Amino acid sequence: MIIIIRVWKHKPIQLVNGKTGTAQKLVNGKTGTAQKLVNGKYVNNAHVSSFVGFAPVEKPKYIVAVMIDEPKNGYYAATTAAPLFQKVMTFLMNN
């Protein structure tokens, strides 16, 4: 299998430092939400949510990919995978 990733630098977002609430670093990323294929058909009640991002934007040091198979509290990546990405990236950038 060949996976091609095109790096984009479009509309970076601020990663907030939990201690002070001030913008610390800029990150960039993309959400993804997909229906799962079950018995050859896409179903409405099973999803995979994802978020892939990198930081800092100007000179990337970290890339983090989060994938959640069948999230329980909603299925849109912005409310499932992205918050986990934020926690992981905040930890990486602060340590």
Side-chain angles (χ1 to χ4, degrees), residues 14-32:
Q14 294 178 338
L15 184 65
V16 175
N17 180 338
K19 295 176 185 170
T20 64
T22 58
Q24 185 181 41
K25 301 287 182 181
L26 293 178
V27 301
N28 208 326
K30 180 69 178 108
T31 59

Side-chain angles (χ1 to χ4, degrees), residues 51-92:
F51 190 95
V52 178
F54 62 91
V57 171
E58 294 305 317
K59 191 174 179 184
K61 184 175 180 182
Y62 304 106
I63 183 169
V64 174
V66 175
M67 294 188 75
I68 302 175
D69 186 27
E70 298 189 23
K72 301 298 179 207
N73 297 319
Y75 58 86
Y76 290 112
T79 59
T80 57
L84 181 55
F85 167 87
Q86 181 182 16
K87 288 179 182 180
V88 172
M89 190 60 82
T90 298
F91 175 81
L92 291 171

Side-chain angles (χ1 to χ4, degrees), residues 17-50:
N17 180 338
K19 295 176 185 170
T20 64
T22 58
Q24 185 181 41
K25 301 287 182 181
L26 293 178
V27 301
N28 208 326
K30 180 69 178 108
T31 59
T33 303
Q35 292 175 304
K36 291 180 75 173
L37 191 64
V38 178
N39 296 324
K41 295 182 181 180
Y42 290 101
V43 296
N44 291 324
N45 61 348
H47 297 84
V48 175
S49 300
S50 62

